[in-house]
Amino acid sequence: MKVLIVGGGGREHALAWKCAAAARVSEVLVAPGNAGTAREPKVRNVEVAAEDLAALVDLARNERIDLTIIGPEAPLVTGVVDAFSAQGLKCFGPSQAAAQLEGSKAFAKEFLRRHGIPTAQSRTFTSASFDAAWVSRQRAPLVVKASGLASGKGVVIASSAAEALGAAQAMFAGQFGAAGREVVIEEFLPGEEASFIVMADGTHVLPLATSQDHKRLRDGDQGPNTGGMGAYSPAPVVTPALHARIMREVIEPAIRGLSADGMPYTGFLYAGLMIAPDGTPNVLEFNCRLGDPETQPMLMRLASDLTVLCEAALAGQLDTVSAQWDRRAALGVVIAAEGYPEAVRTGDVITGLERAAALPGKIFHAGTRLAGSEVLTSGGRVLCAVGLGEGVAAAQRNAYALASAVHWRGMQFRHDIGHRALSRELPPRD
Ligand SMILES: Nc1ncnc2c1ncn2[C@@H]1O[C@H](COP(=O)(O)OP(=O)(O)O)[C@@H](O)[C@H]1O
Ligand SMILES: [Mg+2]
């Protein structure tokens, strides 16, 4: 069987590596991929952009691809799954209609309210309907969100109503382009964040292993927000009781609701949650794809054949399969380029990859490209070093041994990935 992975980041390297490991898979194509996928056995990069829907359909037809898995949100939101389906091609991901759950935060809030799923109180505005007096009456802090896709940069936590007003006006004025034409303003929710990722087939749900990421650039969860500086799986914050509650109060009503609304959901569904002090799993947002970097440690633990799970979902038979997980913990440390997340330096030579390859664990590539026999940096998040171990501390040691084996000018990574899980793993100190 031939598989196509769409995208070129760390998540897609992990997807390609995982699919290539299946005995029944003869070849994995990645569009466009990176230096990591280029060097992976049984994997071949193809120079087709993840956003070029017509070229992706042509590629899948010409190469006789049996299964396509979409990594990033952009092609899902513009309808890649509909384009594949129209040609009778199997493509794992939600339809354009269902992907609005990520593509429009305004749509998602309406959906959550309609189906009684816990979420922050909010209102949605356009510049024409904006009600500055209402905003001024709200208690700070307030959260201001550009409704559309903004690469994780479209959310402002405003510590005063005045700051919220300014943030909304900047969004209306085009700070995030069309993504800011609608703006969601919501109450600030206290609590601990967790992500919860499932596979769905329109009706049935298969929860994946839990994971948690670190969004801030610097140690101690300080510094600017990023796409994610590291992640681990499992996430001890999601206890078995909380797991059951998230399924019952968030995931099951969401899948039922999408079906009832005429847009049955097939694909990965990622709920970004804020667990309130009383345990309520409030939905901050939905993503219609796997998370990056959560995917890298999560797939390191997946013992089942991912292509079997995706095919079962596409056949509406997710209830007939189960996923087996390595009971060890996996932890991934993102290594970023100098200047990330603002002005990123690229084109630096990465050394030590061979040394790292001899160590336990796995380095997934993100912003890398091949230049002859050298691997160069080509993006902000460059590598994700994933270690496995009995417990988070051991996984963390292995991940940092990998990270220390590689080098390039200006590389940066956090030294405390997994600290929340570690503090839960330690015996109570009294
Ligand atoms: N209502 C809220 N209360 C508190 N924090 C929030 C709230 N909404 C979002 N956040 C914070 O902002 C981050 C980004 O918001 P999110 O809705 O996930 O948008 P995106 O991932 O598209 O940037 C969240 O991970 C969370 O830390
Ligand atoms: Mg988010």
Side-chain angles (χ1 to χ4, degrees), residues 105 193 215 270 272 285 287:
K105 290 191 196 291
E193 278 191 74
K215 284 272 179 248
Y270 173 130
E285 65 160 350
N287 294 319

mmCIF file of all heavy atoms in Angstrom, residues 105 193 215 270 272 285 287, ligand 2:
data_model
loop_
_atom_site.group_PDB
_atom_site.id
_atom_site.type_symbol
_atom_site.label_atom_id
_atom_site.label_comp_id
_atom_site.label_asym_id
_atom_site.label_seq_id
_atom_site.Cartn_x
_atom_site.Cartn_y
_atom_site.Cartn_z
ATOM 1 N N LYS A 105 -13.244 30.469 14.822
ATOM 2 C CA LYS A 105 -13.513 30.379 16.261
ATOM 3 C C LYS A 105 -14.931 30.861 16.558
ATOM 4 O O LYS A 105 -15.569 30.399 17.506
ATOM 5 C CB LYS A 105 -12.472 31.168 17.057
ATOM 6 C CG LYS A 105 -11.073 30.521 17.034
ATOM 7 C CD LYS A 105 -10.169 31.191 18.052
ATOM 8 C CE LYS A 105 -8.685 30.877 17.829
ATOM 9 N NZ LYS A 105 -8.293 29.487 18.091
ATOM 10 N N GLU A 193 -4.235 23.895 31.575
ATOM 11 C CA GLU A 193 -4.570 23.509 30.202
ATOM 12 C C GLU A 193 -4.244 22.045 29.945
ATOM 13 O O GLU A 193 -3.295 21.491 30.488
ATOM 14 C CB GLU A 193 -3.770 24.360 29.207
ATOM 15 C CG GLU A 193 -4.393 25.706 28.966
ATOM 16 C CD GLU A 193 -3.758 26.422 27.794
ATOM 17 O OE1 GLU A 193 -4.006 26.042 26.630
ATOM 18 O OE2 GLU A 193 -3.018 27.386 28.075
ATOM 19 N N LYS A 215 3.942 25.852 25.647
ATOM 20 C CA LYS A 215 3.806 26.879 24.608
ATOM 21 C C LYS A 215 4.850 27.994 24.712
ATOM 22 O O LYS A 215 5.200 28.608 23.717
ATOM 23 C CB LYS A 215 2.424 27.536 24.704
ATOM 24 C CG LYS A 215 1.309 26.672 24.153
ATOM 25 C CD LYS A 215 1.119 26.903 22.673
ATOM 26 C CE LYS A 215 0.034 26.030 22.088
ATOM 27 N NZ LYS A 215 0.554 25.018 21.173
ATOM 28 N N TYR A 270 -8.867 17.629 17.898
ATOM 29 C CA TYR A 270 -8.030 18.050 19.012
ATOM 30 C C TYR A 270 -8.810 19.111 19.785
ATOM 31 O O TYR A 270 -9.138 20.159 19.233
ATOM 32 C CB TYR A 270 -6.752 18.623 18.409
ATOM 33 C CG TYR A 270 -5.746 19.295 19.317
ATOM 34 C CD1 TYR A 270 -4.407 18.941 19.253
ATOM 35 C CD2 TYR A 270 -6.097 20.309 20.200
ATOM 36 C CE1 TYR A 270 -3.445 19.573 20.038
ATOM 37 C CE2 TYR A 270 -5.155 20.933 20.979
ATOM 38 C CZ TYR A 270 -3.833 20.559 20.891
ATOM 39 O OH TYR A 270 -2.891 21.184 21.669
ATOM 40 N N GLY A 272 -8.606 21.765 22.704
ATOM 41 C CA GLY A 272 -7.761 22.515 23.635
ATOM 42 C C GLY A 272 -8.642 22.866 24.829
ATOM 43 O O GLY A 272 -9.661 23.528 24.666
ATOM 44 N N GLU A 285 -10.654 25.843 22.396
ATOM 45 C CA GLU A 285 -10.702 25.817 20.930
ATOM 46 C C GLU A 285 -10.703 24.365 20.475
ATOM 47 O O GLU A 285 -10.372 23.458 21.234
ATOM 48 C CB GLU A 285 -9.467 26.514 20.340
ATOM 49 C CG GLU A 285 -8.181 25.781 20.676
ATOM 50 C CD GLU A 285 -6.999 26.103 19.773
ATOM 51 O OE1 GLU A 285 -7.182 26.762 18.742
ATOM 52 O OE2 GLU A 285 -5.898 25.648 20.112
ATOM 53 N N ASN A 287 -9.025 22.031 17.289
ATOM 54 C CA ASN A 287 -8.185 21.949 16.105
ATOM 55 C C ASN A 287 -8.632 20.714 15.332
ATOM 56 O O ASN A 287 -9.052 19.720 15.929
ATOM 57 C CB ASN A 287 -6.706 21.825 16.475
ATOM 58 C CG ASN A 287 -6.191 23.087 17.158
ATOM 59 O OD1 ASN A 287 -6.534 24.193 16.755
ATOM 60 N ND2 ASN A 287 -5.407 22.930 18.199
HETATM 61 MG MG MG B 2 -4.506 26.616 20.833
#
